[in-house]
Amino acid sequence: MTDFPDIIRSPLSQTFTHDGLTVRVEIYKIEGTDGWTLELIDEEGGSTVWQDSFATDADAFAEFTDGVEQLGLDRLIDPDDDDLATVH
């Protein structure tokens, strides 16, 4: 039987609402590894995961808030090709 690694969830993970849209901001890492993952889960269950990991959970959350300020939450959860090159 294979043991599955433990997932460490950041206390910065939260529900976030902006301009009438709500997402779950999930910041997590696998126990014993470096690098935090940033994932947004929209109201319909769609998931947007950043390809790059972050040194700290605070860095991941800052990336999220910067993205909301620069692009808006709607474009973070449904990016076009130009957004993918700059944000994710």
Side-chain angles (χ1 to χ4, degrees):
M1 185 168 160
T2 303
D3 291 332
F4 291 99
D6 289 330
I7 302 292
I8 299 170
R9 185 174 186 255
S10 168
L12 297 173
S13 297
Q14 60 187 271
T15 300
F16 182 88
T17 302
H18 181 72
D19 289 340
L21 295 173
T22 300
V23 296
R24 280 195 341 256
V25 179
E26 294 293 338
I27 302 170
Y28 53 87
K29 70 176 187 169
I30 297 173
E31 186 174 35
T33 65
D34 294 328
W36 291 85
T37 298
L38 172 59
E39 178 178 8
L40 303 181
I41 303 169
D42 65 33
E43 294 171 317
E44 297 168 359
S47 173
T48 303
V49 179
W50 273 244
Q51 293 178 344
D52 295 328
S53 62
F54 300 89
T56 68
D57 58 345
D59 290 342
F61 191 74
E63 177 75 10
F64 165 69
T65 57
D66 287 348
V68 170
E69 287 179 23
Q70 292 175 19
L71 300 173
L73 186 55
D74 58 336
R75 287 181 54 197
L76 282 181
I77 59 177
D78 189 18
D80 61 27
D81 290 339
D82 293 335
D83 297 334
L84 290 174
T86 58
V87 176
H88 297 72

